[in-house]
Every structure is written in structure tokens, then in C-alpha cells.
Amino acid sequence: MKNLIIKETSQRSFDFISKHIDVEDPKSLIVSTSTAFNIEKQFEKSFHCIVNLKRVNDIRWINKFFEAVNFKLEPGGLFIANVETCALRKRRILNKYPSGINWGVYIVDFFLRRVSPKLWGLKKIYFLFSRGQNRVLSKAETLGRLYSCGFEVIDEAFLDNRLYFTARKIKDPVFDYSPTYGPLISLKRQGKGGKPIKVYKARTMHAYSEYLQEYIYKHNDLQDGGKFKNDFRITTAGKILRKFWLDELPMLINWVKRDLKIVGVRPLSAQYLSLYPKDFCERRKNYRPGLLPPFYADMPKELEDIIESERRYLDAYDKHPFRTDWRYFWKAFDNIVFKRARSK
């Protein structure tokens, strides 16, 4: 088995795999396949580990494949696979072709294999001709799909121009049939009364990034202002949209629907709320979130300061609602327009 793995991949890849599993263990399934069928047809009910040597890029129905692996693994079982991320693909293409030609090849490749699968009307044409093979995938989308299918990533390494990862089965798949996958996205947030609402924004992150908040916090922690440090989920275009606040414009839909008001506490995800004190989480439920949070009036740095800023706002709002929102609005307006406060 060792020689077969090395022949299919490399010595470095074998070393990564063997670090986590015994490749000769009969309860370890090692395949090189792009179809879920070859996982589902196994007679063994469950495995300690499943290794797929084929790139994730060549799997058309990625989530179905990950779900099949999940079902064939025992609780806590390991899944080892690899992907050529879009960053690695870009480097490979630019290094492969002569200077001047390489960027032209890269731009065409990016549109055909990265953009077109996400555009309505072109998606079906793309899959008809490509059969889903050699797709361009970001690290964020790959790991996000893993987390949505019930895994957590415990190890990763860049080997042979691919990202190898080891993931542990921790639960059943969530079967999300409407992930954020277009230019306009809706994010699950907590509204007034603890009611779940969908907040609309322009896409600034790779698809399936919403499943990686726990992963990002574990590996990156928070920077000043309460955002995640070195967040690889944000796209290049997303950084531009955030700089000029264009990503926030669709939230006006939530204002029209009365899910949000102009000034109020920030609508937060369940993962981010878990960082708040429980008593304050309960208090926040009594208020409608806002488009402009107290953050832009006070400009706090640390998470504790952000929470304290929201406490002060709610204390003042309880006494004088209209006066408080009016005062916070103009303070936020001054910071945003004249002091260039921006989301990162």
C-alpha cells in the first residue's frame, strides 16, 4: 500500500497520510476517486479512516462526496484528502507560461473555471462540457464545505502544490441546500426576541465561508475592532467592497422589512454571540439590531470594549430612545465620512 500511495502521489504525501493513520489497517479505506459511488458501494459498514488521493477539484458533486464519506466513517473517524486551491493554481499557471502570456492564460482560466460555474445561465453549460473536473476552488470554500458536512479540520499542509488536510467526523452533515453562493448573500443572524433573520449583503467572502467562523477564531483570533485577523475567507474584490461600504448597501432591504433599524446593536451570528457574556446575550434579544452599530460611534478596539460600548448604548437607549439614536447616528457619520472609519 505504501508503494501504491507514493506512486499515485509522492513520498511527502505518504508521510502526511501515515502521520495520522496506519495505511495497512483493513479499517482504513484508501481510494483515488471522484465519485461518491465508490465510497457508498463499500461493503464495510464503517471505517476508522478514509483517504482519497484524487483532487477535490475533480469531484463534481463535492458535498455529496463529503456526505458519503461522513456516513462511512465511525464517530471521530478521519478523512484525508487534497485540493489545489485557487492561489496554488494561480502560481502554477504564472510559473508555467512565459511572462506576458501567463497573465492572459490565467485570466481566461479564472473566468472559465472560477467565475462561470457561479453565474446563472453559464453554470449548466460549464458542467456540461467540464463534467465538474479541474474546477477552481478556494481554501475557504473547500474547508467550509467540509465543516458543513460534519467535519472539523485537525491538520493541514501544503505539499506538491496542493493543500492536504486531515478532518475528523464530529457530527452528521447539515444538508444546506441554499449556501451563500452568489453576488448577493443572506446571512443568518439573531434579530429582536432572538428571532433568526437573514441579513442581506454583497458577497465579500468565498462560498461556504459562513461555516468557518469557529475555525478562523481558533486559528486567527480577533484583531482591533472585533474582526478576525488575517481572514483568508475575504476575496480581493471583497476588500474593495468593504473599503467603500458597498457590501452594506443590500442591508437596506432589511431596513425596509423592519428587521433592522438605522442605529442599533450589530446583528450577530451564533458563533460570534458565543463570545459574549450570556446575560448580555439575553439582554440584546430585547432590541432590534441596527444598520449602524455603536461601534462606529465609539470605535472600540478589543472585544471587551465592543461589548461595553453596546452596554452604554442600550443603557442610554432605555432612557431616551430617539435622542440616543440621533446622537449615535451623527457620531458614527462623523467617524465614517470624515475620519474614514471602515470595515476590514
Side-chain angles (χ1 to χ4, degrees), residues 1-2 4-5 8 14 17 21-33 39 42 47 49-53 80:
M1 182 59 70
K2 174 182 177 180
L4 287 173
I5 294 174
E8 181 75 11
F14 172 80
I17 295 169
I21 68 165
D22 177 5
V23 297
E24 302 295 343
D25 184 350
K27 294 284 284 183
S28 292
L29 175 63
I30 301 175
V31 295
S32 182
T33 182
I39 303 296
Q42 300 297 321
F47 294 91
C49 177
I50 295 177
V51 179
N52 187 28
L53 305 179
I80 302 176

Side-chain angles (χ1 to χ4, degrees), residues 250-268:
M251 293 176 67
L252 292 173
I253 299 173
N254 294 105
W255 177 68
V256 173
K257 294 173 61 178
R258 297 186 59 78
D259 291 331
L260 304 177
K261 59 193 187 81
I262 297 297
V263 179
V265 293
R266 190 191 300 272
L268 297 178

Side-chain angles (χ1 to χ4, degrees), residues 145-158:
R145 287 175 180 269
L146 273 172
Y147 274 78
S148 76
C149 291
F151 295 95
E152 67 170 351
V153 176
I154 61 173
D155 193 15
E156 55 189 86
F158 288 99

Side-chain angles (χ1 to χ4, degrees), residues 261 263-264 287 313-329:
K261 59 193 187 81
V263 179
Y287 304 87
Y313 164 76
L314 293 180
D315 289 342
Y317 184 84
D318 285 342
K319 297 176 182 178
H320 305 286
F322 179 80
R323 185 193 308 174
T324 298
D325 280 358
W326 181 260
R327 179 165 55 89
Y328 270 81
F329 174 84

Side-chain angles (χ1 to χ4, degrees), residues 228-328:
F228 291 115
K229 293 180 181 177
N230 304 317
D231 196 340
F232 64 86
R233 300 175 300 168
I234 303 174
T235 65
T236 302
K239 293 177 182 178
I240 298 173
L241 290 174
R242 290 185 175 206
K243 181 178 181 180
F244 295 102
W245 279 69
L246 298 176
D247 64 311
E248 307 283 358
L249 289 179
M251 293 176 67
L252 292 173
I253 299 173
N254 294 105
W255 177 68
V256 173
K257 294 173 61 178
R258 297 186 59 78
D259 291 331
L260 304 177
K261 59 193 187 81
I262 297 297
V263 179
V265 293
R266 190 191 300 272
L268 297 178
S269 65
Q271 172 62 32
Y272 203 101
L273 272 173
S274 68
L275 305 177
Y276 277 51
K278 290 185 178 180
D279 62 325
F280 190 54
C281 287
E282 290 300 314
R283 183 184 180 187
R284 283 176 107 262
K285 291 180 181 179
N286 299 320
Y287 304 87
R288 189 151 41 115
L291 297 170
L292 288 174
F295 171 89
Y296 285 108
D298 299 333
M299 299 306 296
K301 298 293 185 182
E302 305 293 334
L303 177 61
E304 292 75 12
D305 299 329
I306 295 173
I307 295 172
E308 186 56 34
S309 170
E310 291 190 348
R311 286 187 191 275
R312 289 196 301 270
Y313 164 76
L314 293 180
D315 289 342
Y317 184 84
D318 285 342
K319 297 176 182 178
H320 305 286
F322 179 80
R323 185 193 308 174
T324 298
D325 280 358
W326 181 260
R327 179 165 55 89
Y328 270 81

